[in-house]
Amino acid sequence: MSSPAVIRIKPYHYIHILDNNKNVTRVEFGPQTFTRQDHEQLVSGPDSMIMVPPRHYCIIQNPVARDEKGKPVTDHLGQTKIRHGDEEIRFEQEPFALYPGEKLYGKVSPLQVVAPNTALRLRCIRDFKDDKNPRVAGDEWLFEGPGTYIPRVEIQVVEIVKAIIIKPNQALRLRARKEFTDKSGVKRRAGEEWLVREVGAYLPNVEEEVVQTISAYVLTDKKAIHLQATKTFTDVFGKERKAGEEWLVTIDDAETHIPDVYENVIGEVKITTLTSRQYAVVLDPVGEDGKPQMGRRVLKKGEAVFFLRPGERLESGIQSVHVLDSDEALLLRARESFKDGSTERKPGDRWMIYGPCDYVPPVHVEILEKRKAIA
């Protein structure tokens, strides 16, 4: 079917006309009544011009090359030059026509609005220089909301990042993807892990990987937690811990405790309670310097409450006070040299203690047997 000789072009419409003598395609804009010559052919149209309303954009593939004044550049034959394989993003402007070779990619879309506590993770796909610093292909950064994101052909939107809400008694465990300086000004190395304890919304950076959200252990006067250091570090209480060191965190230290990245939770420790009629012997007690005193024994008499420190254990558990009647006695033996009142005892010495009385053996003494008077 041949093209009509007279073409009526409405306002904001255009057509593509091929000049068969020159093999050049040009654009005719409306409104006009176009009379086609015999050597001319209607290639496409009439088509509506593309309208980009406020806060919208569109992507044009193979855009025309323009001069400093923004006018299309043509060659010596009058054919408009296009940038093959390239793209151009156009924003709010007067309705415009597509020149021969140009294509509209997708459709006219609204600009993306980034809400508060969210961000766009952006990646540079070709080198360019923005308002702040030059970007090279492969760079990633965040566009944090609230705000309207203005797209560029050099930038690819990877994903939408949402802030993580850190509640009271919670912390966020992060890992560095590469070497960088975090929001607190601390230099991090690739693979390093740390905790963010501040309550509120936290937006992870592109160099940060969220490992998990950690909840605090609630400590009471009857419960403590047993920790072990996986690396030498300084804990939240300002005390240096050596790798492999074990310790307790009790309510005297804090009401709640969030284990650090270098703290391994061995378990919870229940309090040991002694009544007025009980006693216990603690083996390998922990000294004031926090180190276990191997081979030593400490006597705990009731009434008393205490936590067994790491490495400590009870000899024979919790024991009852020995109650001797008037016809009963205990045969004792000294474990080591000590002074029993005015009597000097030597290792291996034996003696008797007679009732009626209550008796709690000191750590230097062991009970061999209980004897009863012969009637």
Side-chain angles (χ1 to χ4, degrees), residues 281-313:
V281 177
V282 179
L283 302 180
D284 304 330
V286 175
E288 295 181 357
D289 58 355
K291 298 180 179 179
Q293 304 174 26
M294 307 301 294
R296 289 199 59 187
R297 305 164 79 245
V298 173
L299 177 65
K300 298 279 189 179
K301 295 182 181 180
E303 300 174 352
V305 289
F306 60 93
F307 290 104
L308 284 176
R309 302 282 173 174
E312 294 181 340
R313 64 186 190 278

Side-chain angles (χ1 to χ4, degrees), residues 243-364:
E245 181 181 349
E246 298 182 14
W247 70 98
L248 288 186
V249 177
T250 67
I251 195 171
D252 295 333
D253 301 315
E255 294 182 353
T256 60
H257 182 71
I258 300 176
D260 208 314
V261 292
Y262 303 121
E263 294 177 352
N264 182 27
V265 179
I266 304 297
E268 296 183 352
V269 178
K270 302 294 183 182
I271 200 167
T272 303
T273 304
L274 301 178
T275 66
S276 60
R277 308 299 298 170
Q278 292 176 328
Y279 73 95
V281 177
V282 179
L283 302 180
D284 304 330
V286 175
E288 295 181 357
D289 58 355
K291 298 180 179 179
Q293 304 174 26
M294 307 301 294
R296 289 199 59 187
R297 305 164 79 245
V298 173
L299 177 65
K300 298 279 189 179
K301 295 182 181 180
E303 300 174 352
V305 289
F306 60 93
F307 290 104
L308 284 176
R309 302 282 173 174
E312 294 181 340
R313 64 186 190 278
L314 295 181
E315 182 184 52
S316 303
I318 297 176
Q319 304 177 62
S320 299
V321 174
H322 296 274
V323 180
L324 300 179
D325 205 347
S326 58
D327 59 346
E328 293 178 330
L330 292 176
L331 178 61
L332 308 177
R333 182 171 61 189
R335 298 176 184 268
E336 56 186 83
S337 299
F338 75 100
K339 194 170 185 180
D340 184 11
S342 59
T343 306
E344 192 74 28
R345 304 289 186 186
K346 295 182 179 180
D349 283 355
R350 297 188 180 192
W351 70 98
M352 301 274 289
I353 183 170
Y354 301 92
C357 68
D358 293 339
Y359 183 71
V360 177
V363 293
H364 318 289

Side-chain angles (χ1 to χ4, degrees), residues 51-302:
M51 299 183 183
V52 182
R55 298 188 61 80
H56 285 67
Y57 74 99
C58 68
I59 300 176
I60 304 298
Q61 294 180 329
N62 304 323
V64 297
R66 297 181 182 273
D67 58 15
E68 297 178 353
K69 297 181 179 180
K71 295 182 179 181
V73 177
T74 58
D75 58 15
H76 65 284
L77 298 176
Q79 178 75 41
T80 54
K81 294 182 179 181
I82 61 175
R83 295 179 285 148
H84 294 280
D86 202 355
E87 290 182 343
E88 182 178 280
I89 297 180
R90 299 178 184 176
F91 301 97
E92 175 189 358
Q93 58 182 282
E94 292 294 324
F96 61 90
L98 291 179
Y99 282 85
E102 290 186 328
K103 292 182 180 179
L104 175 65
Y105 178 76
K107 59 181 181 179
V108 178
S109 306
L111 293 174
Q112 188 169 2
V113 177
V114 184
N117 292 332
T118 59
L120 296 180
R121 184 176 176 180
L122 307 178
R123 179 182 296 143
C124 179
I125 56 177
R126 70 171 81 167
D127 297 353
F128 75 100
K129 188 174 182 180
D130 61 7
D131 298 335
K132 298 181 180 179
N133 47 12
R135 303 284 185 182
V136 296
D139 278 355
E140 292 188 356
W141 67 97
L142 292 182
F143 178 83
E144 299 184 9
T148 301
Y149 173 66
I150 307 300
R152 295 185 59 149
V153 294
E154 301 91 352
I155 300 175
Q156 176 187 13
V157 178
V158 180
E159 63 178 345
I160 298 176
V161 180
K162 294 184 179 180
I164 300 175
I165 305 300
I166 304 176
K167 300 178 182 178
N169 294 330
Q170 282 187 341
L172 198 61
R173 185 170 181 172
L174 303 176
R175 182 187 296 125
R177 299 178 186 268
K178 63 178 183 179
E179 188 172 345
F180 78 108
T181 302
D182 65 10
K183 297 178 181 178
S184 303
V186 180
K187 291 185 177 181
R188 304 292 183 184
R189 294 184 177 181
E192 180 182 353
E193 295 187 1
W194 68 98
L195 295 182
V196 177
R197 303 172 184 266
E198 290 79 9
V199 176
Y202 184 81
L203 199 60
N205 207 340
V206 292
E207 294 89 359
E208 298 171 347
E209 176 186 357
V210 178
V211 179
Q212 62 177 335
T213 300
I214 302 176
S215 298
Y217 286 84
V218 179
L219 305 175
T220 65
D221 54 356
K222 297 181 180 180
K223 184 177 70 174
I225 55 173
H226 180 186
L227 302 177
Q228 181 184 42
T230 59
K231 178 183 176 182
T232 301
F233 76 106
T234 302
D235 63 12
V236 293
F237 306 110
K239 189 170 183 180
E240 185 180 6
R241 303 292 184 182
K242 300 293 184 181
E245 181 181 349
E246 298 182 14
W247 70 98
L248 288 186
V249 177
T250 67
I251 195 171
D252 295 333
D253 301 315
E255 294 182 353
T256 60
H257 182 71
I258 300 176
D260 208 314
V261 292
Y262 303 121
E263 294 177 352
N264 182 27
V265 179
I266 304 297
E268 296 183 352
V269 178
K270 302 294 183 182
I271 200 167
T272 303
T273 304
L274 301 178
T275 66
S276 60
R277 308 299 298 170
Q278 292 176 328
Y279 73 95
V281 177
V282 179
L283 302 180
D284 304 330
V286 175
E288 295 181 357
D289 58 355
K291 298 180 179 179
Q293 304 174 26
M294 307 301 294
R296 289 199 59 187
R297 305 164 79 245
V298 173
L299 177 65
K300 298 279 189 179
K301 295 182 181 180

